[in-house]
Amino acid sequence: MQLVIGGAFSGKRKIVRERNRTFSWVSAYEGDMVEDWRTEWLEGTTLVLEGWEQWIASCLKKIENNDDIRKEFKALFQILIEEEEKRNNRVVLIMLDIGKGIVPIDKDDRRLRDIAGWIAQDAAQFAVQVEYVWNGLSRRLK
Amino acid sequence: MILFISGGVRSGKSSFAEQTALSLYNKSVREKESSSLYYIATAKKSDDEMVDRIRIHQQDRRHTWKTIEEPFDIEHILSNCKKCDVILLDCLTIWVSNVIFDLNYSLEKLESVISTCLNLARKKHFHLIIVSNDVNVGIPNPHDSVITYMYYLQQLHQAIIEQSEIVVEVQAGIPTYWKGVKWL
């Protein structure tokens, strides 16, 4: 599993597209749910999951305990890694860096920012490779 | 040479850019080239806070610099620059907001102006240093105009970086070189 993280419009997709040939793209921005990966992941392709901040935000509404949310995503990462090995394909997570800038006034925004940060840390720990994208350039962090 | 320097607010990106510009200028002077050091200030004196920010930046620059205040037409200024001149544009974020909010520039128009500026630097052999800010790393903004602004700015950053010899991110006054060698 690989993690590609960076700011909005920083060129994350472009970097993923350059490094893989065929894709199954599961995107919150296209209305996909995170669990859609099971049905969307075509054989022999790289699975790309993007829009985590939206999936996390909808989780925040349903689950009160922050640790439970984090556990749920950790469990998902584990399943993805197992599946990746079974299929001998690649999984790429594209995450938005939302942890910089002004502290949001809205309480829910602050909660989202916190949990998205933790989940990114968890993803980075599980990932074999982590890339930070900045203005169309990327640097390997792990 | 084209240089792109970015970072957060008060990260030290302006003073790093100024040092860089000054050392390029001194190098030209040492090589006996007739060279000018220009500072293009894009901020409008819109309120007291801006006046104060501008004053701080001006005090830092003193005499060597020729300061040009131009919120809109940077292309015109660059077309008058000569070989070995050093031009510091500080900063792109303000210029972009000036031209998209006051002059309704489209992305195509922005890209074409920037591309002309970069071509001028190449053709006339002057040094162009562009300073910008990373405004895209906060919590997603709900306002369409802000999202559009962020998207335009990121597109320009990427276009400039593609053409730049040196690309630097400044954090806490410390430069990280994303492109080009450490040469200062």
Side-chain angles (χ1 to χ4, degrees):
Chain A
M1 188 172 79
Q2 297 182 356
L3 171 64
V4 174
I5 189 162
F9 311 120
S10 59
K12 302 182 291 299
R13 284 183 195 172
K14 197 185 91 193
I15 277 157
V16 172
R17 285 206 191 96
E18 278 167 5
R19 294 182 188 178
N20 297 275
R21 240 181 281 157
T22 49
F23 308 95
S24 297
W25 213 281
V26 178
S27 171
Y29 313 120
E30 305 289 335
D32 296 332
M33 310 287 274
V34 67
E35 54 271 22
D36 291 345
W37 69 269
R38 286 188 185 277
T39 49
E40 296 286 322
W41 194 359
L42 302 175
E43 237 186 79
T45 65
T46 298
L47 173 67
V48 183
L49 294 140
E50 66 170 8
W52 292 87
E53 74 288 352
Q54 293 196 7
W55 291 326
I56 294 166
S58 65
C59 226
L60 298 184
K61 287 183 198 142
K62 283 179 263 165
I63 305 170
E64 247 178 67
N65 186 295
N66 292 349
D67 287 339
D68 289 345
I69 297 171
R70 203 170 160 181
K71 262 183 223 156
E72 201 154 298
F73 280 94
K74 265 193 194 175
L76 171 64
F77 297 148
Q78 251 154 351
I79 293 168
L80 287 171
I81 289 166
E82 281 165 25
E83 196 67 26
E84 186 183 40
E85 276 167 18
K86 236 187 275 171
R87 293 181 181 224
N88 198 23
N89 286 138
R90 200 183 287 169
V91 176
V92 181
L93 315 180
I94 300 181
M95 287 188 183
L96 192 60
D97 184 3
I98 59 172
K100 290 167 187 160
I102 276 293
V103 177
I105 296 172
D106 186 71
K107 196 172 168 239
D108 292 334
D109 280 346
R110 288 200 300 276
R111 189 173 169 225
L112 171 63
R113 197 165 92 135
D114 285 345
I115 297 177
W118 283 320
I119 289 173
Q121 287 187 46
D122 294 336
Q125 205 155 41
F126 281 111
V128 287
Q129 190 179 329
V130 181
E131 298 270 340
Y132 194 84
V133 183
W134 185 80
N135 292 315
L137 303 172
S138 74
R139 170 171 295 149
R140 191 164 174 176
L141 302 179
K142 179 180 171 181
Chain B
M1 190 156 67
I2 297 165
L3 297 91
F4 179 81
I5 297 167
S6 198
V9 75
R10 297 282 160 247
S11 61
K13 59 189 190 305
S14 286
S15 50
F16 176 78
E18 284 164 24
Q19 283 167 30
T20 306
L22 204 57
S23 66
L24 277 172
Y25 169 73
N26 288 335
K27 191 168 169 278
S28 291
V29 171
R30 274 201 306 276
E31 288 163 7
K32 310 237 181 321
E33 298 280 355
S34 74
S35 159
S36 296
L37 180 59
Y38 292 106
Y39 183 93
I40 306 180
T42 56
K44 292 182 283 187
K45 284 181 179 158
S46 48
D47 55 23
D48 289 347
E49 188 197 326
M50 243 336 169
V51 170
D52 205 41
R53 280 170 184 267
I54 289 168
R55 189 183 51 76
I56 294 167
H57 278 277
Q58 279 171 348
Q59 280 175 354
D60 288 346
R61 286 195 309 273
R62 304 215 180 92
H63 312 299
T64 338
W65 296 77
K66 292 176 185 162
T67 299
I68 301 169
E69 287 174 30
E70 179 50 66
F72 304 112
D73 197 356
I74 51 174
E75 203 180 312
H76 173 71
I77 293 168
L78 295 184
S79 65
N80 290 325
C81 291
K82 296 182 184 66
K83 190 182 170 214
C84 290
D85 283 351
V86 180
I87 300 102
L88 173 56
L89 179 78
D90 193 359
C91 94
L92 189 72
T93 55
I94 294 177
W95 176 75
V96 171
S97 72
N98 290 344
V99 295
I100 66 173
F101 296 123
D102 292 358
L103 306 180
N104 286 316
Y105 271 29
S106 64
L107 180 59
E108 290 70 32
K109 176 72 179 164
L110 282 168
E111 285 175 331
S112 110
V113 172
I114 288 299
S115 150
T116 307
C117 291
L118 300 177
N119 287 337
L120 279 168
R122 289 268 174 265
K123 216 170 64 192
K124 292 172 157 256
H125 300 283
F126 57 73
H127 301 297
L128 178 61
I129 303 172
I130 299 174
V131 176
S132 197
N133 193 336
D134 298 320
V135 296
N136 62 332
V137 275
I139 201 100
N141 194 291
H143 304 290
D144 280 347
S145 61
V146 178
I147 295 169
T148 306
Y149 170 71
M150 251 197 249
Y151 176 68
Y152 285 5
L153 195 62
Q154 284 300 307
Q155 294 303 110
L156 294 183
H157 282 187
Q158 291 174 36
I160 295 165
I161 282 173
E162 211 167 285
Q163 300 270 329
S164 298
E165 277 85 7
I166 294 175
V167 174
V168 180
E169 181 184 15
V170 184
Q171 294 161 307
I174 297 162
T176 303
Y177 286 74
W178 281 86
K179 212 174 156 181
V181 283
K182 189 172 174 150
W183 62 279
L184 261 186

